[in-house]
Amino acid sequence: MKKKALITGITGQDGSYLAELLLSKDYKVYGMMRRVSVFTTERIDHIFNEVDLLHGDVTDSSNTNRLIKQIKPDETYNLSAQSHVGVSFEVPEYTADVDALGTLRLLEAIRTEHPVCKFYQASTSELFGAVLEIPQKETTPFNPRSPYAIAKQYAYWIVKNYREAYNLFACNGILFNHESPRRGETFVTRKITKAVVKIVRGLQNELVLGNLNSERDWGYAPEFVESMWMMLNMVDKPSDYVIATGEKHTVREFVEEAFRYYELKIEWEGDGLEEVGRLRKEIVVRQDPKYYRPTEVDLLLGDYSKAYHDFGWRPKTKFKDIVKIMMKEENRELL
């Protein structure tokens, strides 16, 4: 009999890659998606007929309970979230309802309706915030700097509590930034790749960003979703894991690599907010304070050694190759 998996947030970047992975392992895949007035399934259109899509919302406990009772999944992957850090400052209450209490509702549904179900929670490196240790690992103290990160910290601890209090097989995957051509266009990496293609083709004049000096540990999304499955299937005892690459790069470096795809070199000049990037003497990159967050996270760098030790996961795709993959697809889409 096929294993059954429920993925919340199946229409997102990670949800789509995870659905592909589970289908390749012969799972019966169910996806929870919110009812909206327009279709948002473009990331899973190629597997649309292979998954069972069910309307649901983690803000609705009766619906969540019903789905768990109806499906009785062997594994549940909670990828649903208001996942944009900047937006969380504008909609903090909604962010908390989805990201924090949504996790609680799923755990409670599993506890009461189907406690043998294994549970994966999409946690985040934003928990570390203004970092207290470099690199960050599972024992590093949290120091969140946004409503998003604070909501995710509640989710982290409620997963740990339900694991210990009710003996649920529940894991937190503390994933650092992970990118792909399926990344949402409001995220800085897609904003960069999309703008660079348009600038090169004369369709856009400038790329406007926030903090160019922000340093992130950027990995490749298809590899990161593999770790989610491994946490639930390749260890005997549930735990929490940092998933990262162990390398950090600035937003500025990402911009440089994106232009390098076309063998173009950006020249930087100026300091602070006045720093600009020029291409053939024309300003093509500049900064705007409106893209700075009220509380910035300057550096995130993860140590994935526990995951490697416990179930053999490690990153394979390098930073420059991730940018190339994204640029190649962006270039193809805009042809």
Side-chain angles (χ1 to χ4, degrees):
M1 184 179 295
K2 287 186 176 184
K3 276 189 174 183
K4 294 183 288 185
L6 171 63
I7 304 172
T8 71
I10 193 171
T11 58
Q13 170 188 252
D14 290 6
S16 65
Y17 284 122
L18 179 61
E20 289 176 351
L21 176 68
L22 296 179
L23 288 170
S24 75
K25 295 181 180 296
D26 203 31
Y27 276 66
K28 175 69 173 175
V29 177
Y30 298 84
M32 181 193 289
M33 59 181 292
R34 290 183 297 118
R35 175 70 177 92
V36 292
S37 59
V38 294
F39 280 109
T40 58
T41 60
E42 61 271 9
R43 293 186 180 95
I44 58 169
D45 281 347
H46 61 296
I47 54 172
F48 191 87
N49 294 323
E50 299 178 65
V51 299
D52 279 19
L53 296 178
L54 305 167
H55 290 302
D57 195 318
V58 295
T59 63
D60 182 345
S61 57
S62 62
N63 172 261
T64 303
N65 279 45
R66 180 180 59 80
L67 288 179
I68 294 296
K69 185 176 182 179
Q70 172 188 331
I71 298 168
K72 295 193 182 305
D74 297 288
E75 299 163 16
T76 293
Y77 297 85
N78 183 29
L79 310 185
S80 63
Q82 190 301 100
S83 58
H84 197 285
V85 176
V87 171
S88 75
F89 286 97
E90 301 173 24
V91 288
E93 183 178 340
Y94 174 73
T95 300
D97 195 17
V98 176
D99 297 9
L101 295 181
T103 305
L104 171 62
R105 294 181 187 105
L106 276 168
L107 286 165
E108 187 64 6
I110 289 170
R111 182 186 74 83
T112 58
E113 302 295 346
H114 193 51
V116 296
C117 176
K118 294 182 177 182
F119 181 77
Y120 171 85
Q121 168 62 18
S123 195
T124 171
S125 58
E126 290 287 333
L127 293 176
F128 299 116
V131 299
L132 302 174
E133 180 180 32
I134 301 173
Q136 296 89 57
K137 49 186 180 288
E138 292 81 4
T139 56
T140 302
F142 298 147
N143 192 18
R145 299 270 285 172
S146 68
Y148 166 76
I150 292 165
K152 283 289 193 176
Q153 183 167 355
Y154 175 93
Y156 172 92
W157 284 112
I158 203 66
V159 167
K160 185 174 171 61
N161 180 253
Y162 269 60
R163 182 170 69 216
E164 295 172 353
Y166 304 116
N167 199 34
L168 296 185
F169 196 110
C171 300
N172 285 294
I174 308 173
L175 272 59
F176 280 62
N177 291 63
H178 45 290
E179 314 302 320
S180 78
R182 298 182 193 174
R183 188 57 136 157
E185 293 180 12
T186 60
F187 290 84
V188 67
T189 52
R190 275 299 305 284
K191 183 178 179 179
I192 292 169
T193 57
K194 200 170 193 67
V196 168
V197 173
K198 287 185 174 182
I199 289 169
V200 169
R201 295 186 182 180
L203 303 174
Q204 183 172 325
N205 295 323
E206 292 181 336
L207 165 62
V208 184
L209 297 169
N211 187 2
L212 292 170
N213 295 312
S214 288
E215 296 179 289
R216 292 292 184 268
D217 184 325
W218 273 305
Y220 189 41
E223 294 172 2
F224 275 46
V225 301
E226 289 178 13
S227 74
M228 301 175 186
W229 178 83
M230 294 170 84
M231 283 179 216
L232 300 192
N233 288 276
M234 298 187 70
V235 293
D236 296 325
K237 185 178 179 181
S239 189
D240 307 314
Y241 293 94
V242 163
I243 303 298
T245 71
E247 296 182 9
K248 60 182 174 67
H249 299 273
T250 63
V251 172
R252 182 187 290 101
E253 287 178 79
F254 201 105
V255 173
E256 290 171 348
E257 285 301 320
F259 276 102
R260 192 169 287 127
Y261 178 80
Y262 293 109
E263 299 182 352
L264 297 171
K265 183 178 181 181
I266 291 290
E267 301 290 342
W268 302 99
E269 64 178 50
D271 297 308
L273 278 171
E274 302 305 314
E275 184 178 10
V276 297
R278 292 184 181 272
L279 184 64
R280 304 187 188 99
K281 298 184 179 181
E282 296 293 326
I283 293 176
V284 293
V285 184
R286 62 181 179 86
Q287 298 174 83
D288 190 318
K290 73 178 181 181
Y291 294 117
Y292 277 69
R293 297 162 185 165
T295 42
E296 283 282 319
V297 173
D298 296 320
L299 182 155
L300 292 172
L301 177 65
D303 177 353
Y304 64 90
S305 57
K306 180 183 175 184
Y308 181 65
H309 176 270
D310 284 8
F311 50 83
W313 185 90
R314 61 181 175 184
K316 303 179 184 70
T317 307
K318 293 294 186 181
F319 171 74
K320 291 183 179 182
D321 294 322
I322 295 168
V323 181
K324 286 178 183 176
I325 290 168
M326 294 179 69
M327 286 299 299
K328 182 178 180 180
E329 182 62 19
E330 205 79 71
N331 190 63
R332 186 192 67 79
E333 287 186 1
L334 287 176
L335 283 176

